[in-house]
Amino acid sequence: MGSLRGISIAIFVVQALLASVALVSAQGSATPSRWQTLSGEAPVVIARGGFSGIFSDSSFGAYSLALETGPSDVILWCDVQLTNDGAGICFPDLKLDNNSKIATVFTDKPTTYLVNGVSTKGLFSIDYTLNDLGSVYLSQGIYSRTNKLDGNNYPIMTVQDTYTQLQPRGFWLNIQHDAFYAAHNLSMRSFVLSVSRNAKVTVDYISSPEVAFLRNIAPIFRRSSTKVVFRFLGPKDVEPSTNQTYDSLLTNLTFIKTFASGIIVPKSYIWPVDGALYLQPSTSIVLDAHKEGLEVFASDFYNDVPFSFNYSYDPVAEYLQFVDNGKFSVDGVLTDFPITPAAAIDCFAHIGKNASKQADLLVISNNGASGDYPGCTDMAYTKAIQDGVDVLDCPVQMTKDGIPICLGSINLIQSTDIVRTGFSNLTETVPEIMQSSGIFTYNLSWSDIKSLKPVISSPQSQYKLFRNPKFQNAGKYLKLSEFLSMANTTSSLNGVLISIENAAYLAKQGFGVTDAVLKALNEAGYDKQTTQKVMIQSSSSSVLMKFKGKTNYQLVYKIDEDIGGAQSSTIDDIKRFASAVVISKDSVFPENSAFLAGATDVVSRLQAANLSVLVQTFSNEFTSQAWDFFSDATVEINSFCAGASINGVITDFPKTSDRYRRNRCLKRGNKTPTYMSPVQPGSLLSLVTTDYLPPAEAPKPYLTESDVVEPPLPPVAKTTSTSTPSGTVAAAPAPNGQPKVAASIIVPLMAVLLAMYYCFEI
């Protein structure tokens, strides 16, 4: 039932989605003897319905993209359903409602059938002939995924069409409902037998969750190369032919071995999680099955469905947990996103934390490892160091008592529990800082801020994606001096990045933030040492001009807005006060409705002017990435590094970026596998048909001289009066511009509070 139009579209998918590199998918570069699989060979990658994470399941586009981005021996998975006239089609479910446009072709009322004893309503394949389904097109069945590619109208394909048109190295037929079809006088056994006799089709694996079906067909394939695999469903689900639960059958692997050469189990059977989605110790299922001579395939891998917080939303880390944990390896993985396990197995497995770097990419933290712990806490910084960060960052804020501290925002509401404390009445609106109201650090003393609980940032919380809830309030905040002391004693660091914002407004309020930073750096010895570099970052050119000429620190200009380009004169202006520039991801690859719309020349033009280009902010959550990156943070990083040639990343998850630059696939030249090739910006959007095309977005503005040039910072104001309680006298300002405490009833009150504070501290 496949069409020439479908084939041409699929070929276009192959050509467009990836950059033009040698299409070599050399899986298995890791030493085979190191694999703890049953065979000792690398685990196989099984593409469920093809690359169903992007294209509609079982479509020609999905299968083609799986063949292109997966390993050379990727196995295509086909869920077999039978039509009314006994034809076998590849379709993910008994019912056609969800993954096709059948409702636009037929106005039939849904039918109700018993499926494994459960009354189920829908439009079933058994109610339509193969000819009927010839005008039914596939659609994306998971509503959290984009449906913008459904306009390509991929037809439903037969099992034979799928194999003959795609010619995969491996082909897997999954027979989920033999008992249902038998109850309607359709024989799945006869269909499988006919396929096995078809010289044009080679079936490598046949799986089913029904014992009776597999025991029936096992003798047919005993002397063939086709492997029979028993599929486990939920632990408490009942297998229809034995009337046993699947967890009960799991205790009798010897019985399973009598009719199967392997088992396929949900990944939670191997690495279970608790109710809070944290990993528990692994079970013995893989080792037990291997002892029985059974291969073990793990299912339920989806880049866009979070499984455990232990993986920090990094799908590569999840796959490595199953194939490279030092104890066992599964023999294969069933996935909707085959590009990710292909890279995990070939490029990342067995490389070790101390593998040499294969890419010249600077990794800078964003508030430490703020994806795992509350940003700018000691725990976030420690984790970033452990995860291989090059440059540790500290966004400097000022406290009421003039102490520079590290905090991701001047607004305490964004990173602490202050709204639940007695300080919640300090809310104010300061248009020079932000349009909305906040509670700002300069209104609280350092001791006040230390009393607040840190709160982890979850920038994708609108999608119900939260970060590490078990440690959402962990850690303590640091003064700049404490941060510098930590960094100075960490030999693995290349340097520190000090970020300064709102300096002009703070100066008017009596806070000299640039002077405070210089003083702290000098006291920490950074003005004299050369082991670690110091980077000073600001979106204010006047701040960087304040440092220019006084130090040998690297000055970094942060461009706050998304830009589509920059005037030559503007770039020349930036060079006067900076040697590096921070830009947004959208300034490199602009997006339209979460699709990459193309690429700008911003990076190349800045680099041509000898300005290093750092890009922010990289996060692991798939909702922070364009569809083009396949819900995989590593694909995104690779596309910016290898595709756009940026100099560095600023990231919430330093571990992901550090691991990327150590992978063994980066220096293979023309043998670089497609799963480690950068995506081609705009190619996926070009496959969206007119009726699904999102509205064109206005081009990003160019950066002009007026955006960059600023007047010098104002002098730090001397505070001459303060708001004081009735009957008290305002104190004369201290040398740093901060008011002294008036000699009044405040003094004994402060003495009492301090005494209480030290009592509790002790």
Side-chain angles (χ1 to χ4, degrees):
M1 291 177 65
S3 66
L4 290 175
R5 180 176 180 274
I7 295 173
S8 64
I9 291 172
I11 292 172
F12 183 50
V13 170
V14 169
Q15 294 174 337
L17 274 173
L18 298 169
S20 55
V21 296
L23 304 183
V24 179
S25 301
Q27 182 173 347
S29 296
T31 306
S33 62
R34 299 179 68 179
W35 291 109
Q36 294 174 296
T37 55
L38 182 64
S39 66
E41 299 294 328
V44 296
V45 175
I46 310 151
R48 192 186 71 88
F51 207 131
S52 52
I54 294 294
F55 290 96
S56 50
D57 193 304
S58 306
S59 69
F60 201 99
Y63 284 130
S64 298
L65 186 57
L67 291 175
E68 185 58 32
T69 60
S72 60
D73 58 354
V74 65
I75 299 167
L76 299 188
W77 169 284
C78 166
D79 281 297
V80 182
Q81 315 300 338
L82 295 180
T83 63
N84 183 265
D85 48 350
I89 59 173
C90 292
F91 195 84
D93 193 58
L94 274 172
K95 300 189 300 177
L96 304 175
D97 314 50
N98 194 41
N99 290 85
S100 78
K101 301 177 182 179
I102 191 168
T104 65
V105 179
F106 297 100
T107 58
D108 302 350
K109 291 182 179 180
T111 307
T112 300
Y113 292 112
L114 284 179
V115 180
N116 292 337
V118 178
S119 181
T120 306
K121 180 186 290 188
L123 301 175
F124 289 78
S125 64
I126 61 172
D127 291 326
Y128 302 91
T129 66
L130 183 61
N131 186 61
D132 291 335
L133 298 180
S135 56
V136 175
Y137 298 121
L138 296 166
S139 62
Q140 178 56 260
I142 297 178
Y143 299 140
S144 60
R145 297 172 179 172
T146 182
N147 69 340
K148 299 295 185 184
L149 299 166
D150 287 351
N152 288 289
N153 290 337
Y154 293 111
I156 295 174
M157 294 195 297
T158 66
V159 171
Q160 179 171 326
D161 285 342
T162 301
Y163 185 87
T164 56
Q165 292 182 18
L166 292 150
Q167 294 292 312
R169 289 272 299 274
F171 197 38
W172 188 309
L173 300 184
N174 180 58
I175 315 298
Q176 197 77 359
H177 296 287
D178 171 66
F180 172 81
Y181 289 111
H184 295 274
N185 299 316
L186 291 168
S187 174
M188 192 64 80
R189 182 184 188 277
S190 297
F191 171 76
V192 169
L193 188 60
S194 68
V195 172
S196 68
R197 292 171 177 171
N198 188 333
K200 296 181 179 179
V201 179
T202 300
V203 178
D204 299 280
Y205 298 85
I206 296 176
S207 62
S208 177
E210 298 182 9
V211 170
F213 173 71
L214 292 183
R215 294 185 75 182
N216 196 329
I217 68 166
I220 301 173
F221 299 102
R222 191 156 288 148
R223 296 185 179 180
S224 75
S225 60
T226 302
K227 296 181 179 182
V228 175
V229 179
F230 180 57
R231 186 179 190 184
F232 283 79
L233 302 182
K236 299 306 177 184
D237 290 340
V238 176
E239 194 283 318
S241 58
T242 63
N243 205 32
Q244 294 185 52
T245 60
Y246 285 96
D247 59 355
S248 175
L249 287 169
L250 192 62
T251 64
N252 195 355
L253 293 175
T254 302
F255 168 64
I256 303 297
K257 178 63 177 173
T258 63
F259 60 86
S261 64
I263 59 174
I264 182 166
V265 298
K267 61 188 179 184
S268 57
Y269 274 50
I270 300 169
W271 285 100
V273 296
D274 61 19
L277 298 183
Y278 286 91
L279 281 181
Q280 300 299 291
S282 63
T283 66
S284 62
I285 183 173
V286 176
L287 296 175
D288 293 343
H290 283 175
K291 287 178 183 177
E292 293 291 341
L294 290 166
E295 290 184 301
V296 181
F297 304 94
S299 66
D300 297 356
F301 286 94
Y302 319 100
N303 289 6
D304 54 357
V305 179
F307 178 58
S308 170
F309 290 111
N310 297 76
Y311 303 130
S312 299
Y313 293 101
D314 181 354
V316 171
E318 180 178 24
Y319 285 108
L320 292 176
Q321 187 79 6
F322 285 81
V323 303
D324 183 20
N325 57 54
K327 297 179 180 179
F328 60 81
S329 172
V330 297
D331 300 278
V333 292
L334 177 63
T335 175
D336 290 15
F337 295 84
I339 189 173
T340 304
I345 292 166
D346 186 22
C347 307
F348 293 100
H350 308 138
I351 61 173
K353 183 179 178 181
N354 297 318
S356 59
K357 297 174 185 176
Q358 304 297 307
D360 185 16
L361 181 71
L362 192 69
V363 178
I364 304 172
S365 65
N366 181 51
N367 304 333
S370 56
D372 293 303
Y373 294 99
C376 297
T377 61
D378 56 340
M379 295 186 72
Y381 287 132
T382 299
K383 183 71 164 59
I385 293 168
Q386 293 171 348
D387 289 347
V389 74
D390 294 319
V391 178
L392 205 62
D393 76 303
C394 169
V396 173
Q397 315 299 340
M398 297 298 292
T399 67
K400 186 176 182 178
D401 41 351
I403 297 175
I405 64 173
C406 299
L407 203 62
S409 171
I410 193 172
N411 181 10
L412 290 162
I413 294 176
Q414 295 181 3
S415 55
T416 73
D417 68 339
I418 194 167
V419 293
R420 297 188 181 93
T421 71
F423 299 114
S424 60
N425 62 339
L426 296 178
T427 302
E428 62 177 336
T429 301
V430 182
E432 294 93 333
I433 296 177
M434 56 191 295
Q435 295 303 308
S436 57
S437 60
I439 303 175
F440 302 106
T441 58
Y442 56 77
N443 284 327
L444 278 79
S445 68
W446 172 231
S447 61
D448 292 335
I449 293 174
K450 284 196 298 182
S451 71
L452 303 174
K453 283 185 180 180
V455 174
I456 198 168
S457 168
S458 290
Q460 302 300 314
S461 59
Q462 70 268 35
Y463 301 107
K464 306 302 181 186
L465 300 180
F466 299 96
R467 292 176 171 176
N468 206 4
K470 186 182 290 186
F471 296 94
Q472 62 181 327
N473 302 120
K476 63 179 182 178
Y477 290 121
L478 304 178
K479 295 185 292 186
L480 175 59
S481 59
E482 294 169 331
F483 166 85
L484 294 173
S485 177
M486 169 188 278
N488 216 349
T489 56
T490 304
S491 59
S492 63
L493 287 178
N494 290 351
V496 294
L497 182 147
I498 309 300
S499 177
I500 302 173
E501 300 296 341
N502 305 303
Y505 176 81
L506 290 172
K508 295 174 184 177
Q509 308 308 309
F511 299 96
V513 59
T514 55
D515 293 336
V517 168
L518 280 168
K519 180 182 178 184
L521 286 167
N522 293 344
E523 290 177 347
Y526 276 91
D527 59 329
K528 299 181 179 66
Q529 61 105 347
T530 57
T531 305
Q532 291 183 353
K533 66 179 177 182
V534 175
M535 304 170 75
I536 304 295
Q537 173 187 297
S538 182
S539 61
S540 170
S541 59
S542 58
V543 168
L544 300 181
M545 290 297 290
K546 187 78 178 284
F547 282 86
K548 187 173 178 62
K550 294 184 179 180
T551 68
N552 60 352
Y553 303 150
Q554 183 179 10
L555 304 182
V556 182
Y557 183 57
K558 178 183 175 183
I559 300 175
D560 267 339
E561 62 179 340
D562 298 333
I563 60 172
Q567 298 173 350
S568 297
S569 57
T570 307
I571 295 175
D572 291 339
D573 277 334
I574 293 173
K575 287 180 62 177
R576 289 190 301 106
F577 56 81
S579 61
V581 177
V582 174
I583 60 176
S584 67
K585 293 191 295 186
D586 261 24
S587 298
V588 182
F589 298 137
E591 292 185 18
N592 183 358
S593 299
F595 287 91
L596 297 186
T600 70
D601 64 353
V602 172
V603 174
S604 59
R605 295 200 65 217
L606 291 172
Q607 290 175 338
N610 293 320
L611 290 166
S612 297
V613 179
L614 313 174
V615 177
Q616 68 171 20
T617 304
F618 287 84
S619 300
N620 285 356
E621 292 95 339
F622 60 91
T623 50
S624 71
Q625 303 149 13
W627 296 114
D628 306 63
F629 300 129
F630 308 132
S631 300
D632 185 342
T634 298
V635 175
E636 180 182 45
I637 295 166
N638 183 50
S639 296
F640 276 88
C641 179
S645 301
I646 66 172
N647 301 104
V649 295
I650 299 174
T651 174
D652 299 342
F653 298 89
K655 186 174 184 178
T656 304
S657 295
D658 179 60
R659 187 192 58 218
Y660 159 75
R661 61 184 175 176
R662 299 177 191 274
N663 88 75
R664 66 171 66 87
C665 295
L666 288 178
K667 289 190 175 180
R668 292 184 180 173
N670 61 6
K671 294 184 178 180
T672 300
T674 53
Y675 42 80
M676 195 47 65
S677 301
V679 302
Q680 188 66 38
S683 59
L684 199 59
L685 184 60
S686 70
L687 298 180
V688 178
T689 55
T690 304
D691 47 334
Y692 284 86
L693 201 63
E697 293 191 352
K700 299 287 190 296
Y702 260 57
L703 192 70
T704 64
E705 290 181 71
S706 61
D707 296 319
V708 173
V709 177
E710 296 177 347
L713 286 177
V716 178
K718 299 293 184 180
T719 304
T720 56
S721 63
T722 61
S723 176
T724 58
S726 176
T728 63
V729 180
N736 64 357
Q738 304 305 302
K740 295 179 180 178
V741 178
S744 67
I745 58 172
I746 294 180
V747 174
L749 177 59
M750 286 298 296
V752 172
L753 290 174
L754 284 171
M756 292 175 64
Y757 172 76
Y758 284 115
C759 284
F760 283 111
E761 283 290 291
I762 294 170

